Amino acid sequence: MRELELTPRLRLLADWVPPHARFADVGTDHAYLPVWLRLHGRVVSAIACDLREGPLNRARETGRAYGAEDIRFRLGDGLAPVESWEADTIAIAGMGGENIAAILAKAPWTADGAHTLLLQPMTRAEVLRAFLADNGYAIRREALVEDRGILYPVMEAAGGEMHLSLGQIYGGAALLRDPLGDRYIIEKIIRLTGAAAGINRSGGGREKGDALREVITALLSMREEWRRAKSQ
């Protein structure tokens, strides 16, 4: 049987799954992550969930192909198919930060402190960080991973208290010592500067432009913090 290879993004998530976890993967698609974890004996059980039947059928095919058919495949919206006692480690990856936040909002039991959340937003990470800070979660650690030339943040969170500055919401809650942190912040500044310039050209609203410039200023300060942390 051929070896199942994970993308760098999924491999970082796999590395953060604690040994002997009861694992649930939300938005599993092909179920590569839970299948890999079962094949390597990293988890004692795994649930693979998806909103649509097509991706869930692909997930079942992956399980059959690699001999990991003991995974439980469930159709449903977000964490609706999972009972709180069935999993202690939950991965929600490969979707926008606003979608991840919406899934957690519908499952407030995930903030009880007994569940480890491994979150990987593809876009709008700032929305997810702000949601976590405002809704009883704390980011324990955060790291960046490059996958196909794009940087993605990966977060480990759990129930707790957390206060984030504007710079941390956009530039990362815990990335000051991440080797890719400077690039991540610079890319954010470039995109937001372009957006602010577009608003100025179109006359799209002074308040929105001012808000973007405030974020850019906060990110410039974050970049200086990153450089000081790197030199220590």
Side-chain angles (χ1 to χ4, degrees):
M1 184 181 297
R2 69 189 189 281
E3 175 71 15
L4 176 58
E5 297 288 342
L6 295 180
T7 63
R9 183 173 57 85
L10 292 181
R11 184 54 193 265
L12 179 55
L13 285 166
D15 288 344
W16 283 11
V17 173
H20 314 300
R22 290 175 289 118
F23 181 73
D25 186 30
V26 177
T28 195
D29 196 13
H30 288 82
Y32 292 141
L33 182 56
V35 168
W36 189 95
L37 291 167
R38 285 297 286 151
L39 291 178
H40 289 79
R42 292 286 300 278
V43 297
V44 297
S45 64
I47 301 170
C49 308
D50 209 283
L51 179 62
R52 294 167 296 165
E53 193 67 56
L56 203 62
N57 285 334
R58 291 195 292 270
R60 292 188 183 101
E61 290 171 7
T62 302
R64 284 193 293 269
Y66 289 95
E69 295 178 77
D70 60 340
I71 291 173
R72 289 165 283 174
F73 299 95
R74 295 183 183 171
L75 184 68
D77 185 7
L79 278 160
V82 181
E83 298 291 341
S84 62
W85 52 267
E86 290 185 291
D88 54 36
T89 303
I90 298 163
I92 312 176
M95 61 187 80
E98 66 274 31
N99 292 334
I100 297 175
I103 288 170
L104 294 176
K106 292 177 183 177
W109 51 265
T110 55
D112 63 4
H115 294 85
T116 296
L117 307 175
L118 302 178
L119 311 174
Q120 190 278 297
M122 302 293 278
T123 58
R124 305 295 302 277
E126 67 277 5
V127 173
L128 178 57
R129 294 187 191 102
F131 170 86
L132 294 172
D134 292 341
N135 289 274
Y137 300 87
I139 296 174
R140 293 173 175 168
R141 57 176 164 168
E142 184 172 357
L144 295 166
V145 59
E146 183 174 5
D147 199 330
R148 299 179 184 179
I150 300 173
L151 292 186
Y152 298 104
V154 177
M155 309 168 198
E156 178 186 301
E161 186 176 352
M162 173 176 66
H163 301 282
L164 298 179
S165 66
L166 184 61
Q168 287 175 313
I169 288 172
Y170 280 83
L175 295 177
L176 284 182
R177 297 189 182 277
D178 192 290
L180 296 171
D182 192 44
R183 176 181 157 191
Y184 183 69
I185 293 170
I186 289 171
E187 288 179 358
K188 291 277 186 184
I189 291 170
I190 291 171
R191 281 197 293 272
L192 292 172
T193 301
I199 289 170
N200 288 340
R201 286 193 300 271
S202 65
R206 180 176 175 179
E207 285 187 10
K208 192 171 183 181
D210 288 346
L212 286 177
R213 283 186 284 274
E214 185 180 358
V215 174
I216 291 166
T217 299
L219 285 172
L220 288 168
S221 296
M222 280 282 292
R223 189 181 180 213
E224 288 304 312
E225 287 184 49
W226 183 90
R227 294 171 73 175
R228 286 196 296 270
K230 188 173 182 289
S231 66
Q232 290 175 359

